[in-house]
Amino acid sequence: MQLIVLGSGTSIPICNRASPSLALIMDNHPLLFDLGPGSLRQLTRAGIDYRGVGRIFLTHFHPDHTSDLIHFLFASSIPSELNKRQPFIISGPPGLADFINQLQEAYGHWLRLPSEIMGIEEFEFGEMIQEDYDCFKIIARPTKHTKNSIAYRVEDRSGKSIVYSGDTGFCEEIVELARGANLLVLECSFPEGMEVEGHLTPSLAGRIAGSAG
């Protein structure tokens, strides 16, 4: 596994942090987690061709985590000899299909792709084993942010694991999901003394990491 942080910023634009997005390379196959604004540009800077992305995992539907999904679908829909892309699946929490349908209603045919190119998969809050590349397992759990926010744990064949929280407040679900993980990537949007419901401060992030071991 190789993790590339495409963006680690928040909803506030700043010059040195892009919006939330991670690329996880599994057996040379890129998986994307969230697609905040500018993620596709960050992909090109990392040397990753968006046409080779086979899986996208969304943690929730806020714009700073999803707005470049519009760009991704638009780029993937362009009929061109230069746009020979592989099929892909977008996975996410309950409500994902309705969310994408609303984007397509707003933008019309520009975001509509044939079913043999784009698939949609809504996660239940349990364990899901993916067979696409026969090299990883996904576990999804709800988090304390919105009613349909989830975090992901990815495990490879050797048992190595990475956990990505998306946006979350302190909750036992993220502690359990991260227990014993090799790497935990946590949101931490607010400084000490400025706590906001559904988000983490440094001490809360540290508490989760310590409790999860």
Side-chain angles (χ1 to χ4, degrees):
M1 287 193 287
Q2 178 190 9
L3 182 69
I4 301 172
V5 179
L6 301 174
S8 60
T10 67
S11 59
I12 306 300
I14 55 177
C15 65
N16 61 342
R17 285 180 184 265
S19 295
S21 185
L22 302 177
L24 182 61
I25 313 301
M26 305 284 293
D27 283 4
N28 296 316
H29 295 285
L31 318 176
L32 296 185
F33 290 83
D34 285 339
L35 275 169
S39 296
L40 263 64
R41 178 175 180 273
Q42 292 292 89
L43 270 180
T44 65
R45 295 184 68 189
I48 299 173
D49 189 337
Y50 76 95
R51 295 172 299 178
V53 173
R55 300 296 305 240
I56 299 171
F57 298 92
L58 300 179
T59 59
H60 63 295
F61 306 134
H62 283 165
D64 59 326
H65 289 254
T66 61
S67 68
D68 242 29
L69 180 61
I70 296 169
H71 187 182
F72 185 91
L73 296 181
F74 180 45
S76 298
S77 72
I78 297 171
S80 167
E81 287 300 310
L82 299 177
N83 195 38
K84 295 179 178 178
R85 67 151 303 122
Q86 69 174 52
F88 62 93
I89 298 173
I90 306 172
S91 300
L96 174 64
D98 185 57
F99 173 72
I100 293 175
N101 181 64
Q102 290 182 53
L103 291 179
Q104 292 170 330
E105 287 291 324
Y107 285 90
H109 71 278
W110 299 111
L111 300 192
R112 298 189 190 280
L113 284 83
S115 58
E116 62 267 22
I117 294 295
M118 182 181 76
I120 299 172
E121 177 183 58
E122 293 189 4
F123 279 89
E124 298 297 330
F125 295 135
E127 182 171 314
M128 303 285 288
I129 299 177
Q130 306 299 335
E131 303 291 347
D132 296 45
Y133 309 129
D134 194 30
C135 66
F136 69 95
K137 176 170 70 175
I138 288 281
I139 303 171
R141 292 285 186 271
T143 59
K144 188 179 179 182
H145 185 59
T146 68
K147 67 178 182 179
N148 51 8
S149 293
I150 58 177
Y152 294 103
R153 182 183 180 114
V154 186
E155 297 180 356
D156 67 11
R157 285 179 297 221
S158 71
K160 294 291 180 64
S161 57
I162 290 177
V163 173
Y164 171 50
S165 69
D167 286 350
T168 185
F170 185 91
C171 57
E172 290 302 320
E173 288 85 352
I174 189 63
V175 173
E176 288 303 314
L177 189 67
R179 195 169 301 282
N182 296 97
L183 179 64
L184 171 60
V185 181
L186 284 174
E187 173 254 334
C188 184
S189 296
F190 293 90
E192 295 300 326
M194 297 181 64
E195 289 83 359
V196 172
E197 184 72 17
H199 290 281
L200 297 176
T201 60
S203 62
L204 289 174
R207 181 180 165 197
I208 290 172
S211 298

